[in-house]
Amino acid sequence: MRGFAIAGVGLALFVGFASAASAADLPERSWTKAPPLVAPAFNWSGFYAGVNVGGGWYDGGNVTTSSNVISIVGPDNVVRVPASDSNQAGVTAGGLLGYNYRIDRVVLGVETDFNSADLKSSRGGSTTAVFDVGGFGRFGGRGGGGRITTATGNYNFQSTSKVDWFGTVRGRIGFVPAERLLIYATGGLAYGEVKTNIANSSAFSTGLSRLWLGDNSDVRVGWTAGGGAEYAFTSNWTLRGEYLYVDLGTSGTTATFQGTDPVQSQIRYNASRESRFSVARAALSYKF
């Protein structure tokens, strides 16, 4: 019985050593890790469309006015009205369409946009004058002669220049300092509608009144230049900030007398303005 026990223990030891030896001969188990998640590379090349919104403001200057009234009625029959100027900034909003082509770190592109605008520049004033009726009869200005009675005249004028919409067709050239960031310059053709109007009136205590009106709507063509920065926050969507300087040239109109008086009908009032303005805006675009 004791012999069987010793034999059993020896067999167990032998099996154990054999198992250990077999395990030592097996190759070492290897572990494979999943590759890290990497965002796909952004490609700036291709067509895109988007919307923009921002603000615009006139770049200096005011409405300028002139008249031939002194040469028609003489300096003694002219009442000078003090004038004040106002330039109103406004909101711009619109849509855009473009195409980019990337060459290494350089991006070349072309873009067009069309925008509503609310830019207004005005020059106007009013005054009251008291004069003797003897000098009033024909011109409504100062003078003497006739009966020594007085009359009161109220003089008003308003000249306005407005930009209601504009568009551009521009080239773009940019640099890609980082995969999803584009810094660019842009420039090209600009066009837009400029409206100019004049209203010049005088009314007297004698019941006489006079009115000159002028109105002009003109689609002007000029140029634009600017720059901006654009960031691709997904594989299809980009967000940019942009500045544009727009010059549509000079536009104006002439006011004529609304009546049949042969002398007053010779008088002209003119108004004009250089339509130069700046635009700062943000744009959201989808790349196809």
Side-chain angles (χ1 to χ4, degrees), residues 6 19 24 30 39 64 84 97 109 111 115 124 131 161 172 176 183 185 189 225 238 240 254 283 286:
I6 292 173
S19 298
S30 61
T64 59
S84 61
L97 179 67
E111 182 175 294
N115 315 275
F131 44 86
S161 179
R172 296 206 309 168
V176 182
I183 299 173
L189 177 76
T238 70
R240 79 171 76 163
T254 298
Y286 180 83

Side-chain angles (χ1 to χ4, degrees), residues 33-247:
K33 296 183 179 180
L37 295 176
V38 179
F42 183 78
N43 182 9
W44 286 96
S45 296
F47 288 97
Y48 61 90
V51 294
N52 68 74
V53 63
W57 63 94
Y58 279 103
D59 183 46
N62 295 294
V63 174
T64 59
T65 55
S66 63
S67 176
N68 66 344
V69 62
I70 292 179
S71 65
I72 300 298
V73 304
D76 292 336
N77 289 303
V78 174
V79 174
R80 288 174 171 78
V81 180
S84 61
D85 298 296
S86 173
N87 292 309
Q88 173 186 303
V91 174
T92 70
L96 58 91
L97 179 67
Y99 178 81
N100 287 327
Y101 182 72
R102 179 173 176 175
I103 306 172
D104 195 17
R105 287 188 173 272
V106 175
V107 174
L108 304 176
V110 61
E111 182 175 294
T112 182
D113 60 62
F114 186 85
N115 315 275
S116 65
D118 186 20
L119 303 178
K120 181 179 178 181
S121 181
S122 61
R123 179 179 177 86
S126 62
T127 192
T128 300
V130 178
F131 44 86
D132 66 273
V133 175
F136 158 78
R138 190 173 184 188
F139 304 119
R142 303 181 188 275
R147 294 178 297 129
I148 309 301
T149 58
T150 60
T152 301
N154 295 311
Y155 300 83
N156 299 274
F157 84 92
Q158 186 71 34
S159 305
T160 303
S161 179
K162 295 177 60 180
V163 178
D164 287 334
W165 59 263
F166 73 96
T168 71
V169 179
R170 295 172 285 108
R172 296 206 309 168
I173 181 169
F175 175 71
V176 182
E179 180 183 306
R180 292 176 174 265
L181 178 63
L182 173 65
I183 299 173
Y184 64 91
T186 183
L189 177 76
Y191 59 94
E193 183 181 40
V194 181
K195 295 180 178 179
T196 309
N197 60 71
I198 305 173
N200 196 329
S201 65
S202 54
F204 308 97
S205 58
T206 59
L208 179 67
S209 63
R210 292 165 181 162
L211 177 64
W212 287 260
L213 293 176
D215 185 79
N216 182 48
S217 180
D218 191 16
V219 176
R220 306 288 301 175
V221 177
W223 60 273
T224 181
E230 188 169 5
Y231 181 74
F233 59 93
T234 75
S235 296
N236 297 101
W237 290 97
T238 70
L239 182 66
R240 79 171 76 163
E242 183 176 71
Y243 168 82
L244 291 178
Y245 179 85
V246 181
D247 188 342

